[in-house]
Amino acid sequence: MEFSTEELEFFNNIFAEKSTDCMTSDSHHKLGVKSGVPQNLRQVLVGSQLTLLAEIGHYQLWFPISLSINEQGDFSPKLGTPEVIDIRGHERSWRIKTPKNVAVIDIFHDQKIEILSLSATGLTLKVPNSGNNYIDLQQYSFEMSLAGEEPLKLELDLVRRDKNIVAAKFKDLQEGKEALRKFLFNSHQLKYSNLYQDVI
């Protein structure tokens, strides 16, 4: 597998060693290619056979790589949007708290539900309640829109509930996985621009 000149230049610019006077102690960057997808990422990187790992600060960026063969018979790699993993302690998908420009709608009641956190694997919601009756995640239809994109249909599995706070994981988000990963990666770049300033 060969990378094009532009791809090699891109990698060199992103992961080149910088002089010590422009780097903070925790802004080291590493790059590696893995021949498989780690077990804890299989759910969000479905179908990937190769991954490119970049480490920025205490985050791992797992880029799925797809290969195709061009007309000359050469392999042509294509990088997908990375999954951002927070490696402090839990090694889980990075989550954004109270994301802006994201809406979850209970279609059955035509009601917007407040999102407390969002990751590639699930979300935490503050669900409205009337008396002792809570929204049953199995019985209701939900949609989620990400920054004005086409709404994604959600199927949710309950993880835990505490009063009207519900944590749920995505049951089947095949159509929306890439859009969600793009939204989260863009949000991560925006929130932690200081980590990316020596990279991009």
Side-chain angles (χ1 to χ4, degrees), residues 38 95 119 132 146 157 187 198:
R95 59 195 61 240
S119 76
N132 292 326
L146 300 166
D157 277 337
S187 299
D198 292 332

Side-chain angles (χ1 to χ4, degrees), residues 41-157:
L41 296 179
R42 289 188 192 278
Q43 178 186 351
V44 291
L45 295 176
V46 175
S48 296
Q49 299 299 317
L50 290 172
T51 53
L52 179 73
L53 168 62
E55 294 184 11
I56 298 178
H58 60 271
Y59 295 101
Q60 292 180 337
L61 305 177
W62 288 89
F63 292 83
I65 302 175
S66 59
L67 298 175
S68 58
I69 300 177
N70 62 21
E71 294 174 1
Q72 291 78 28
D74 297 325
F75 282 108
S76 176
K78 181 181 176 187
L79 283 179
T81 305
E83 173 65 19
V84 181
I85 300 295
D86 187 342
I87 59 174
R88 285 182 302 187
H90 302 297
E91 289 196 8
R92 64 181 188 179
S93 293
W94 176 72
R95 59 195 61 240
I96 184 171
K97 293 183 180 173
T98 58
K100 293 177 175 45
N101 301 322
V102 179
V104 170
I105 306 293
D106 169 9
I107 299 170
F108 187 76
H109 291 103
D110 192 25
Q111 185 174 23
K112 191 173 177 179
I113 300 173
E114 184 180 351
I115 304 173
L116 301 177
S117 70
L118 175 66
S119 76
T121 55
L123 40 63
T124 306
L125 303 169
K126 185 174 184 180
V127 295
N129 61 335
S130 55
N132 292 326
N133 297 324
Y134 293 100
I135 290 177
D136 183 349
L137 297 180
Q138 304 299 322
Q139 300 298 319
Y140 287 74
S141 295
F142 300 97
E143 282 186 348
M144 178 172 66
S145 63
L146 300 166
E149 295 290 322
E150 190 71 27
L152 308 171
K153 297 220 180 293
L154 296 182
E155 289 183 48
L156 301 172
D157 277 337

